Amino acid sequence: MIIFNSVEKLKNHLDNLRNNHKTIGFAPTMGALHQGHISLISIAKEQCDLVVCSIFVNPTQFDDSVDLKKYPRTLEADLELLKVANCDILFAPEIPEIYSEKELNDKKNHIEDKTWTCGKTIDFGLLDKVMEGAHRPGHFNGVAQVVSKLFRIVNPNKAFFGQKDYQQLSIIKSMVKQLEMPIEIITCPIIREADGLAMSSRNRRLTEEERKEVPSISKLLFFIKEIYQTHPINQLKEVVANYYAKESMIHVEYFEIVDSETLLSITDFKNSKSAVACIAVKLNSVRLIDNVILY
Ligand code: PAF
């Protein structure tokens, strides 16, 4: 595996590969890699001649500075995993390679600042206002900002993202369409621990006691999938609300059943061609999300 920290050197290397008609797959990450990330690399390897993974903890997508500080950084272990997965190229830039001082200082205003779109107007409509967008103001603007920059650097044929971040995928698909980027976005299945917990870099911040509680999140989602055809949506919501009693260490931030395309809450399954149940919970300072496609 070749490791690049410099944008220019990576671009030159990838230009040479492209001139030799190699197709490039890209899996952007923030490190603290787990088997969910590795599955993105494996799927990318099946579909492309070579695979680039990036590790960059993106400051502009954190609405909470404590969360940014506490985000796990495990580069040595990440390198081992990537080598075993046969990843071809790792791009691990420092912040100044990606952002100018001005962009970082503008961070407070970055919800309004769309300079990263290179002059093109971009509007996510309600996609970035609901669920995660409502609870983490500016988060998706930061995600779109860094992903568009990474896409311009790597210029991949295909980019691979996990379904666990369902709303992020919708945002990135919308961004690629609006910026007319010729990149195919591939949705990869959620990878779960044996007890059903969706893999996430944040899981390692759970205490032993919290870790024992969290498999209930996916169990609840799977239960909803089992019963949704025979229950109205308001009853499904009640099931979730009642499931975690007040004294539970799991606090539900939201549980929504949304249209898979628009991400708007649905009140009747008849009105949507496809639907997904999404949940976000908090255990002390650790925030976890999960989802299940109902149909
Ligand atoms: O999903 C993530 O890890 C991040 O949001 C991403 C897509 C790498 C952008 O920083």
Side-chain angles (χ1 to χ4, degrees), residues 131 163 166 170 173 225 228 233 256-278 291-295:
M131 297 193 289
Q163 185 210 303
Y166 192 91
S170 306
K173 283 179 187 162
K225 187 170 166 99
Y228 84 88
I233 291 183
E256 295 289 350
I257 295 181
V258 298
D259 180 279
S260 320
E261 294 287 316
T262 64
L263 301 190
L264 295 181
S265 259
I266 54 180
T267 46
D268 191 334
F269 289 118
K270 280 193 216 109
N271 301 335
S272 282
K273 275 201 271 198
S274 54
V276 51
C278 302
N291 66 75
V292 67
I293 293 172
L294 298 178
Y295 62 97

Side-chain angles (χ1 to χ4, degrees), residues 126-146:
L126 293 174
L127 283 185
D128 67 342
K129 311 283 182 302
V130 297
M131 297 193 289
E132 290 303 285
H135 286 83
R136 304 180 69 190
H139 168 66
F140 286 123
N141 195 278
V143 169
Q145 184 182 26
V146 78

